[in-house]
Amino acid sequence: AFYLWYGNPDVDGRWLHWNHKVLPHWDPAVDAKHPKFEYRPPEEHHAPFTPERGTYSCRDNATLRAQFEDLARAGVDSAMCSWWGRASWKGKRDDANSGANTDELIPAVLEAAAPTGVGVSFHIEPYGGRSPETFLEDLRYIHETYGAHPAVYRERGLPVFWMYDVSAQHSHEDVQRWRQALDSVRGTSLDGLFLCLWIGGRHGGLDDLAFVER
């Protein structure tokens, strides 16, 4: 994924995500093995490696352009951009609740991507309050706001959407609502290629194959 939640004091007035705290593990036994703390950039930042451009800000247009040029040189044809809801959405916007607003950066991302030939797809994250119904509103917003941009990545003429945490594990109680939401856009101006999370195992009487086929 191409994450848009990084920021630094020079550009954003504060650290965003480089100071990510250690999140609790869903298994209490595993969680107990790990101390809880917040990273302290720039010396101790939340990343296993130090980027060549340092602890950059995603709001820096020169950085965005350089990153897409790097992707193009590497032969990458599309970037799956992590998207945490519309700019006006009131709710959790990333897994650390840092306050990053990824939708505000999409116009700059598309402009940076366009000259390189690298397409941009949307990774619909589990922002606070996301549901099949809000997803339909998101879909309309993305199509109407960004759909005509030449940098939007398409397969078979359709824009590509990655659905994080839409799986048997995370969404088995909502499978019918997700199915109805996706079926409702088929053959309409809101259609797309939708890819869900595949984890494996069984949850709520479903495995991921059954979740997709149901």
Side-chain angles (χ1 to χ4, degrees):
F2 191 89
Y3 288 101
L4 299 173
W5 53 25
Y6 292 105
N8 62 40
D10 291 339
V11 178
D12 305 88
R14 56 179 173 148
W15 290 109
L16 292 173
H17 231 79
W18 294 113
N19 60 342
H20 197 306
K21 62 183 178 181
V22 176
L23 298 179
H25 195 277
W26 55 85
D27 184 331
V30 175
D31 185 60
K33 298 177 182 178
H34 299 280
K36 303 299 181 290
F37 62 92
E38 290 190 6
Y39 285 86
R40 295 174 294 181
E43 292 80 11
E44 297 178 1
H45 52 72
H46 181 257
F49 304 101
T50 299
E52 185 175 298
R53 297 181 179 90
T55 48
Y56 61 84
S57 169
C58 294
R59 288 186 180 274
D60 181 63
N61 290 336
T63 296
L64 284 175
R65 289 193 297 270
Q67 289 174 328
F68 275 96
E69 289 167 358
D70 289 345
L71 291 171
R73 281 193 295 270
V76 175
D77 62 2
S78 67
M80 180 180 69
C81 287
S82 177
W83 189 82
W84 287 81
R86 287 157 275 159
S88 60
W89 186 257
K90 305 300 182 184
K92 183 179 178 180
R93 292 194 171 278
D94 62 47
D95 65 347
N97 209 18
S98 70
N101 192 322
T102 55
D103 185 49
E104 289 182 345
L105 304 185
I106 294 297
V109 168
L110 292 170
E111 290 304 303
T116 69
V118 177
V120 173
S121 61
F122 292 83
H123 186 201
I124 311 299
E125 301 274 15
Y127 58 80
R130 189 190 70 174
S131 69
E133 292 74 28
T134 66
F135 169 68
L136 288 178
E137 297 172 9
D138 297 335
L139 202 55
R140 182 175 300 280
Y141 168 82
I142 291 172
H143 273 280
E144 292 179 352
T145 308
Y146 308 121
H149 199 286
V152 171
Y153 183 70
R154 295 176 180 271
E155 285 281 351
R156 302 193 296 273
L158 296 173
V160 177
F161 298 90
W162 308 82
M163 314 294 293
Y164 194 77
D165 275 4
V166 178
S167 66
Q169 176 175 333
H170 300 94
S171 310
H172 62 270
E173 295 178 355
D174 297 330
V175 60
Q176 293 299 341
R177 290 166 58 208
W178 278 109
R179 173 61 64 193
Q180 290 169 4
L182 293 173
D183 284 348
S184 72
V185 304
R186 293 304 184 196
T188 74
S189 61
L190 302 185
D191 206 351
L193 178 62
F194 304 102
L195 301 168
C196 297
L197 192 62
W198 191 288
I199 299 174
R202 295 188 64 82
H203 304 275
L206 291 174
D207 59 22
D208 283 319
L209 178 60
F211 178 84
V212 172
E213 292 180 339
R214 185 165 173 175

